């Protein structure tokens, strides 16, 4: 539930932004002033976070009415109105920046994710996120990935086994690390990271559901796909970019994980414009 996950973040954001009060609005606006405003997209992209925007307005001023005019996951264009807001001016302006911060950040993630998804269209590859998320924002950022058409990798360290290079080094071998992980948590799906074709062959003999091809060249990925022959799902990972992702997808891998869609997505610009006002 994204609203449940957003609730403590909303409290933190409002506490640091409003603090004891919105000095400017309280000084310039009468307490009975009611206004109407529109939130507009200022660039092409994919919107995400509208329910959180509504929750921010409601948290600051319960009398504010926020009506979404688009749905999360929709493509938007410059000038498109995504939400109408009506109610007490002081509360609306106090909530504005926090609301837009959530909307711009999550929409930026959805937009970049959609670009990756469209770049691999026509292939079997599925775009995945990673755990490279901002602290406290994981549920929200992974939600935005889904709104952009991507899929989520594991939520955390608890819901899937992912045996990586440091586990392998500490356990002594790839096989030992996987066997120990499977023995301890047989109910969890298991993925193992490999860097060479020899490691791939070793992994194929083990009880794993997915193999991560870490920072492999396109030639090596094609060889890995051929050798695996569909026996286990393959995930390409490492320094993935929009310029390279189509070529990676063309190798025949099943999944491509992209850390950039959460840790480096630029914000999608939105603004809130007050249209009319009247004293109560």
């Amino acid at each position: 539930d994204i609203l449940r996950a957003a609730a403590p973040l909303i409290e933190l954001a409002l506490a640091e932004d409003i603090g004891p009060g919105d000095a400017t609005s309280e000084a310039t606006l009468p307490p009975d002033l009611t206004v109407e405003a529109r939130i507009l997209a200022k660039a092409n992209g994919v919107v995400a976070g509208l329910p959180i925007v509504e929750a921010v307005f409601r948290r600051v001023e319960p009398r504010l009415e926020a009506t979404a005019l688009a749905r999360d996951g929709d493509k938007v264009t410059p000038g498109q109105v995504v939400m109408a807001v009506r109610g007490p001016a002081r509360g609306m302006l106090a909530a504005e920046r926090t609301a837009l911060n959530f909307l711009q950040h999550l929409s930026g993630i959805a937009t970049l994710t959609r670009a990756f998804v469209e770049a691999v269209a026509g292939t079997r590859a599925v775009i995945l996120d990673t755990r490279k998320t901002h602290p406290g924002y994981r549920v929200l950022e992974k939600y935005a990935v889904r709104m952009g058409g991507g899929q989520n990798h594991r939520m955390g360290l608890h819901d899937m086994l992912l045996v990586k290079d440091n586990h392998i080094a500490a356990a002594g071998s790839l096989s030992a690390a996987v066997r120990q992980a499977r023995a301890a948590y047989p109910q969890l799906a298991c993925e193992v990271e490999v860097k060479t074709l020899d490691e791939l062959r070793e992994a194929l003999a083990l009880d794993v559901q997915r193999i991560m091809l870490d920072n492999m060249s396109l030639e090596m990925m094609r060889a890995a796909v051929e050798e695996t022959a569909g026996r286990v799902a393959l995930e390409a990972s490492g320094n993935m970019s929009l310029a390279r992702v189509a070529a990676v997808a063309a190798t025949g891998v099943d999944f491509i994980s992209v850390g950039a869609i959460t840790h480096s997505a630029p914000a999608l610009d939105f603004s809130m414009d007050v249209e009319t006002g009247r004293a109560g």
Side-chain angles (χ1 to χ4, degrees):
D1 186 344
I2 62 162
L3 292 180
R4 187 178 300 113
L9 296 173
I10 291 172
E11 294 299 321
L12 179 64
L14 292 174
E16 69 183 4
D17 198 36
I18 299 176
D22 176 1
T24 307
S25 294
E26 291 171 9
T28 60
L29 303 175
D32 60 348
L33 180 64
T34 296
V35 296
E36 295 179 3
R38 304 181 305 163
I39 295 178
L40 305 93
K42 300 181 72 176
N44 291 306
V46 178
V47 66
L50 289 170
I52 299 171
V53 172
E54 182 180 355
V56 171
F57 283 120
R58 193 167 57 245
R59 173 64 183 84
V60 173
E61 170 52 80
R63 292 174 293 171
L64 285 169
E65 301 173 3
T67 304
L69 303 175
R71 295 189 303 176
D72 281 1
D74 285 352
K75 285 189 173 182
V76 295
T77 56
Q80 181 175 340
V81 180
V82 299
M83 180 170 283
V85 190
R86 183 182 186 280
R90 285 187 178 183
M92 187 186 301
L93 297 187
E96 174 185 0
R97 175 43 50 201
T98 296
L100 292 181
N101 283 349
F102 278 107
L103 184 63
Q104 293 183 159
H105 176 56
L106 297 181
S107 297
I109 290 173
T111 298
L112 184 57
T113 301
R114 184 69 57 86
F116 274 93
V117 169
E118 291 177 347
V120 303
T123 72
R124 67 187 300 164
V126 172
I127 298 297
L128 298 176
D129 54 24
T130 71
R131 286 168 42 244
K132 295 177 182 177
T133 55
H134 295 85
Y137 273 78
R138 182 163 297 170
V139 172
L140 273 59
E141 291 179 346
K142 284 180 172 282
Y143 166 80
V145 166
R146 297 196 302 275
M147 294 302 99
Q151 293 183 17
N152 298 147
H153 206 298
R154 59 181 179 163
M155 185 59 66
L157 297 174
H158 53 87
D159 56 353
M160 180 181 179
L161 297 168
L162 178 45
V163 178
K164 303 192 75 174
D165 53 354
N166 285 332
H167 301 108
I168 292 167
S173 72
L174 184 152
S175 294
V178 169
R179 290 190 180 113
Q180 290 166 21
R182 298 299 287 137
Y185 294 96
Q187 76 278 15
L188 296 181
C190 183
E191 179 173 9
V192 61
E193 177 184 89
V194 303
K195 298 180 181 295
T196 67
L197 293 178
D198 284 340
E199 289 181 343
L200 172 73
R201 297 181 188 106
E202 185 177 356
L204 286 171
L206 301 170
D207 179 20
V208 298
Q209 286 69 53
R210 190 184 302 174
I211 297 173
M212 178 184 290
L213 310 178
D214 183 53
N215 283 294
M216 286 190 176
S217 66
L218 294 175
E219 181 182 8
M220 191 178 292
M221 278 189 269
R222 282 191 289 268
V225 170
E226 182 177 353
E227 180 137 4
T228 302
R231 287 176 285 169
V232 178
L234 296 179
E235 174 188 336
S237 180
N239 296 312
M240 211 58 61
S241 67
L242 276 172
R244 181 171 179 256
V245 71
V248 172
T251 66
V253 295
D254 302 282
F255 300 98
I256 301 174
S257 53
V258 187
I261 57 179
T262 50
H263 70 60
S264 296
L268 186 68
D269 198 10
F270 289 85
S271 67
M272 189 182 82
D273 296 342
V274 172
E275 300 289 300
T276 60
R278 63 178 179 83

